[in-house]
Amino acid sequence: MKNRIFFKLLAVFLIVIATCAGILDMMLGGAWQASLRAEIERNLVQKTLLFAHRVETDRSHSLAEIAAQEGQAAGARATVIDASGKVLADSEADPSTMENHAQRPEFAAALSGRESSNERRSATLGIPFLYVAAPIQGGAVRLAYPLSDVEAVQAEVRRRLLWGSAIAFLIALIVAAVASVWTSRRLEHIVDVAARIERGDLRARVDDSPLDEIGRVAAAIDRTASQVERSFAAVRSSQRQLETLLNSMQDAVVAVSADGLVQWANQPMDRLVPQRTRLNAPVVETIRDPDFLSTVKAATTSKEVKTARATSIVPGRAYDVTAAPLPDGGVVAVLRDLTETERVEKTRRDFIANVSHELRTPLTSIQGYAETLLDGATDNGSPTREFLEIIRKNAARMSRLTEDLLTLARVESGETRFETEPVPPIELLHDAEESFREIARGQGVELQIHDEGNAESLPPVLADREAIHQVFSNLIDNAMKYGRAGGRIVLGARSAQRGIEFYVQDFGAGISSEHLPRLFERFYRVDKARSRESGGTGLGLAIAKHIMRAHGGTIHAESELGHGSTFVFTLPIA
C-alpha cells in the first residue's frame, strides 16, 4: 500500500508540475512573445514609413546609400523596388543579382497602394523574418527584421522552466515518500477496522483523531458502525411498509427489469392474472396483452412515462396502463381498471344524446306554433306579441342547444364517422371565407384570407371537409360576436412541426389569460351575460376540440387583453 500511495502522490505532483509549466509557457510565454512581436512590428512599420519618406524626398543621396543607412539604423535589411518589381537598391546584396520581388506578399500589397507586413522563414538563412513594405511613388520599399533574437529569448525562458520543474520534481519525490509512509499506516488501520465491521463486528472502532480528511473518514466509519444496525432495521421496516401500501392499492402494480423480467408485483396484480405472477420470469408469461407489452418496452427504451389502453388482459375489461422508468433501467407499470368509469361515461353520453333527441320534436313544435301565432298577431305593441316573441326566441335557443348537445355526444362517442381525404388547405380557407363573407359584411366586419400565395403552396391535409367547415364556422361565429369591434377577421394557414396550422384571428378586446385554459370546456363562458344575449350555446369550442381530436390534431387559443384573439388548430399532412 505504501508503494501505491507513493506512486499516486508522485504522479499527482508530476501532473501538477507539468500542467503549471505548460500553462506558464503557453499563457505567459505566449502573451510575452505576442507582445514583443507586436512592439517589433509597430516600430518596424514606423521605420519603414520613414524609409519611404526619405526615398521620396532625399535627392542628395543615392538609393543604395539611403538603403544602407536606413537598414543600419533599423537593424534590418532595406530594399527598394520599382513598380515592375525590379530591385533598385538593397542594403545587403547586389540589386543586379536579385530576382524580381513583385510577387512577394508584402511587396504585392505595397505596389497596390497599401502598407503590408508578412512573417516567414528565410529559405537561405533558415531564420524567420518580419517583412514590412510601404508604397512610394513609382515603386515600394521594405524592411526585413530577423526574429532570431525572439526565438532565442523564448528558448531561454523554456530552459529555465524545465530547470525549475526538475527542482520541483525532486522536492515532490521527497514529499511523496514521507507522505506515503505516514498515510499508508493510517489507511491500513482503517482497512482493518472496515474488514472487522464487514465480518459483523460492529464494535470495532478506528479511534483516529479527526484532524484531517483521513481522520474524518475514520470518524465517519466509527459513526457508521454504530448506525448500521439501526439502518438495517429501518430499511426492513420501510420495505414492509411499502409492500403493505402497494398491496392495499386497488390498482395492479408490477416492476419489470430492463431485460423484461418481473421483479415485484402487488397482490391486486396476483389476483388480476389467473396464473399469478412469477418473480424473475419474463413479463410476457404473466401479461400477454400487446398494448401493455409495447408500453413497457417504450418506457424502458425512451426513459419516459408512457400510457396506453389495454383491453385483452381480462376479457370484457379495459385498463389504463401507465409505465414509468426506474433508476436502474427497469419500469414500474400501474394498471387501473377503467371498465366502470367508461360505463358511467357511456351512460352519461347516451343520456345526453337521448334527452337531446327527445327534446328536438317538442321544441320544434313550440317554435313553429310561436311563429304561427306571431304571423297572425296584428297589434305590434301588444303584450301578447312580446310574450310570443320571447317564447319563440327561447325555443330557438333551446333547439340550438339540443342540436349542439347531440352533435357533441355523437362526436365524443365516436358515432360520427369522419371521412378524411387529402384536401388542399387553400380550399378549406376559401370554403369558410365564402360561407361567411356576406354575413360578416352585413355586420360591418371584413373577412379575408392572409397570404393566399403561401397557403396555396402548402401540402394537402387529411380532413373531413364538412367537419372542418363546422370548426371554421364555430371559430368565425365567435370572432364576429366577440371581436366585431376590431372590424376585421383574418383566416390563414402555415406550416408547423406536426402538420399544417390553420388560424382565425380577430382584433377585438381579447381574452384574459386566466380564461384561456378553460375555453374549450363545455358551457364555459368568459362573459356569461353577453354570451346568452348573442344566442350562443357554450358548446361550439367543445365540439371543435373533439372534432380535432378525431382528426388527430390539436386546437388552442392565443389572446391578450386589448390585442384580439387567435384560435389555432392543426391538421396532419396527408
Side-chain angles (χ1 to χ4, degrees):
M1 179 181 289
K2 178 176 69 176
N3 290 335
R4 290 198 297 270
I5 294 173
F6 170 74
F7 286 116
K8 288 180 180 179
L9 290 174
L10 189 60
V12 170
F13 289 147
L14 281 176
I15 293 172
V16 172
I17 293 168
T19 302
C20 291
I23 292 174
L24 286 173
D25 180 57
M26 181 176 60
M27 298 185 65
L28 297 182
W32 172 84
Q33 184 182 6
S35 175
L36 180 59
R37 286 177 183 247
E39 182 64 27
I40 292 173
E41 184 175 352
R42 237 182 348 261
N43 291 335
L44 198 60
V45 168
Q46 293 175 359
K47 292 176 181 179
T48 304
L49 293 176
L50 292 175
F51 180 23
H53 177 71
R54 184 177 176 188
V55 168
E56 290 182 334
T57 58
D58 190 346
R59 305 301 179 193
S60 60
H61 295 85
S62 65
L63 288 178
E65 292 175 339
I66 294 174
Q69 293 172 6
E70 290 298 326
Q72 183 178 7
R77 180 176 179 176
T79 307
V80 183
I81 67 169
D82 61 12
S84 65
K86 179 182 178 182
V87 179
L88 301 177
D90 190 89
S91 63
E92 296 184 7
D94 183 3
S96 62
T97 62
M98 298 176 68
E99 61 183 6
N100 190 288
H101 281 40
Q103 299 303 318
R104 304 294 172 88
E106 66 278 358
F107 271 133
L111 290 175
S112 65
R114 53 188 176 86
E115 302 168 11
S116 176
S117 63
N118 186 37
E119 182 180 329
R120 62 180 180 272
R121 189 172 293 273
S122 171
T124 56
L125 299 178
I127 61 174
F129 277 84
L130 176 63
Y131 299 93
V132 176
I136 60 173
Q137 186 174 2
V141 299
R142 182 188 73 180
L143 289 179
Y145 185 83
L147 297 177
S148 55
D149 293 343
V150 176
E151 290 191 341
V153 173
Q154 187 177 7
E156 177 64 20
V157 171
R158 287 180 176 171
R159 187 177 64 82
R160 290 175 179 261
L161 276 174
L162 288 175
W163 273 109
S165 300
I167 295 172
F169 174 73
L170 291 176
I171 297 174
L173 194 65
I174 299 172
V175 173
V178 174
S180 63
V181 172
W182 179 65
T183 305
S184 63
R185 289 177 179 173
R186 299 176 65 193
L187 290 178
E188 284 175 354
H189 179 55
I190 292 175
V191 170
D192 292 339
V193 173
R196 290 169 60 190
I197 295 174
E198 182 185 7
R199 292 191 295 269
D201 184 7
L202 300 181
R203 292 175 297 178
R205 296 295 181 269
V206 179
D207 293 329
D208 195 343
S209 179
L211 299 177
D212 55 8
E213 286 75 8
I214 296 178
R216 292 169 61 187
V217 170
I221 291 177
D222 291 345
R223 290 193 301 270
T224 302
S226 62
Q227 295 176 3
V228 164
E229 189 174 3
R230 292 195 299 271
S231 297
F232 282 164
V235 168
R236 285 193 295 268
S237 176
S238 298
Q239 185 177 6
R240 286 193 295 269
Q241 290 176 6
L242 180 60
E243 289 180 357
T244 303
L245 175 63
L246 292 175
N247 288 327
S248 65
M249 292 176 59
Q250 296 297 320
D251 300 333
V253 182
V254 59
V256 183
S257 65
D259 52 359
L261 302 180
V262 176
Q263 293 180 317
W264 187 86
N266 65 350
Q267 292 178 0
M269 174 59 73
D270 289 334
R271 293 193 295 267
L272 180 64
V273 291
Q275 70 275 19
R276 298 177 61 89
T277 53
R278 291 174 51 207
L279 298 184
N280 297 319
V283 67
V284 69
E285 295 182 4
T286 301
I287 300 178
R288 299 180 180 179
D289 182 88
D291 296 317
F292 171 83
L293 296 174
S294 63
T295 305
V296 170
K297 184 177 180 180
T300 305
T301 305
S302 64
K303 306 299 182 184
E304 296 178 353
V305 177
K306 300 293 182 180
T307 59
R309 189 171 179 271
T311 57
S312 60
I313 297 177
V314 177
R317 307 195 73 81
Y319 291 89
D320 176 48
V321 180
T322 301
L326 293 172
D328 61 355
V331 168
V332 60
V334 180
L335 290 82
R336 174 164 294 178
D337 192 344
L338 298 178
T339 308
E340 184 64 22
T341 304
E342 290 188 349
R343 187 191 67 78
V344 172
E345 183 65 19
K346 184 177 184 303
T347 302
R348 181 189 65 81
R349 287 197 303 266
D350 292 344
F351 173 76
I352 293 175
N354 292 334
V355 169
S356 301
H357 183 75
E358 293 298 327
L359 286 175
R360 292 172 67 184
T361 301
L363 285 173
T364 303
S365 298
I366 293 172
Q367 187 176 357
Y369 284 122
E371 291 175 352
T372 302
L373 292 173
L374 279 171
D375 291 340
T378 56
D379 189 358
N380 292 334
S382 66
T384 302
R385 185 176 183 84
E386 181 181 352
F387 294 153
L388 287 173
E389 181 63 32
I390 293 173
I391 293 172
R392 185 198 64 78
K393 181 178 179 181
N394 283 280
R397 181 171 179 274
M398 289 189 66
S399 180
R400 289 195 301 272
L401 179 60
T402 55
E403 287 294 335
D404 284 352
L405 279 171
L406 191 58
T407 300
L408 182 60
R410 287 172 176 171
V411 173
E412 277 186 316
S413 64
E415 180 182 345
T416 301
R417 299 294 180 181
F418 297 109
E419 301 296 333
T420 59
E421 59 180 351
V423 184
I426 190 64
E427 293 186 10
L428 297 175
L429 294 173
H430 279 159
D431 290 346
E433 191 265 341
E434 289 173 3
S435 299
F436 282 87
R437 183 192 304 147
E438 296 302 325
I439 299 175
R441 188 177 300 167
Q443 297 186 13
V445 177
E446 179 187 2
L447 182 63
Q448 63 184 34
I449 297 176
H450 178 259
D451 197 1
E452 285 195 48
N454 176 62
E456 290 176 351
S457 66
L458 295 175
V461 295
L462 277 177
D464 183 301
R465 287 177 179 267
E466 294 299 325
I468 300 305
H469 185 74
Q470 184 175 4
V471 173
F472 268 119
S473 299
N474 289 335
L475 298 182
I476 295 173
D477 185 58
N478 282 348
M480 288 193 295
K481 288 177 182 176
Y482 307 113
R484 185 186 308 170
R488 184 161 62 100
I489 297 174
V490 175
L491 312 181
R494 60 201 174 203
S495 294
Q497 184 177 1
R498 298 185 178 180
I500 303 298
E501 277 187 356
F502 297 83
Y503 58 90
V504 177
Q505 182 179 12
D506 66 66
F507 301 88
I511 304 171
S512 180
S513 59
E514 66 266 18
H515 296 294
L516 294 179
R518 301 189 60 190
L519 279 181
F520 296 92
E521 296 178 8
R522 64 188 71 194
F523 299 115
Y524 185 79
R525 304 172 188 268
V526 176
D527 187 344
K528 295 181 174 58
R530 186 176 177 184
S531 296
R532 292 194 182 95
E533 183 180 342
S534 63
T537 63
L539 295 173
L541 292 180
I543 293 173
K545 179 184 71 173
H546 285 284
I547 290 176
M548 295 316 303
R549 283 184 178 176
H551 279 73
T554 59
I555 186 169
H556 68 278
E558 302 169 357
S559 184
E560 188 176 343
L561 283 178
H563 294 82
S565 305
T566 303
F567 285 81
V568 182
F569 63 91
T570 306
L571 288 174
I573 295 176

